[in-house]
Amino acid sequence: MSPKFSPMSARRRLALKSNYNITEDDYNTLLETQQFRCKICGKPWTFEQLCIDHSHVTGIVRGLLCGKCNSLLGFADDSTAILLKAFFYLKKSSTPPSDRSLLSLPPGAMS
């Protein structure tokens, strides 16, 4: 059984339309499509609204994220290179020294 939707305020509906060009129904459809979870970490939706993630270049809505995952992308400037470097940084620091060669990327892969 899916959670019940909380009705949005008129102000929130206007913000959805003007900032992201989506309606309350579009937002609710995204929630259902994502099975009421953050699209990155999978954290279950609570009655707090999930953040609307969108491309700052195209304006296209990519999905709904929890606040932490939305901040993660924002602090990385939506850069896949930065996020990949962060991934390898974390992976390397948690990998035993004998296995670290497995984490090497070819020269120029991060350019």
Side-chain angles (χ1 to χ4, degrees):
M1 181 172 172
S2 59
K4 292 192 179 217
F5 297 113
S6 304
M8 290 185 182
S9 68
R11 183 177 179 179
R12 175 73 173 155
R13 285 192 302 274
L14 179 62
L16 286 176
K17 193 64 177 165
S18 61
N19 294 336
Y20 309 106
N21 197 31
I22 65 172
T23 65
E24 182 176 5
D25 287 340
D26 295 332
Y27 180 90
N28 291 338
T29 298
L30 281 171
L31 270 177
E32 290 175 330
T33 301
Q34 292 180 208
Q35 299 177 343
F36 300 89
R37 296 181 174 277
C38 170
K39 198 163 188 175
I40 292 178
C41 72
K43 177 183 171 186
W45 172 71
T46 62
F47 285 96
E48 295 175 21
Q49 292 174 347
L50 291 172
C51 302
I52 300 167
D53 176 49
H54 67 288
S55 166
H56 290 262
V57 175
T58 65
I60 294 172
V61 172
R62 297 182 285 218
L64 302 176
L65 306 177
C66 69
K68 286 183 178 181
C69 289
N70 190 54
S71 294
L72 172 73
L73 296 184
F75 286 129
D77 293 325
D78 289 343
S79 167
T80 55
I82 290 172
L83 292 169
L84 192 58
K85 287 178 184 181
F87 168 80
F88 280 101
Y89 168 80
L90 289 173
K91 189 74 173 162
K92 187 174 183 178
S93 67
S94 65
T95 304
S98 62
D99 294 338
R100 288 192 182 158
S101 64
L102 301 173
L103 300 175
S104 311
L105 289 177
M110 300 299 286
S111 312

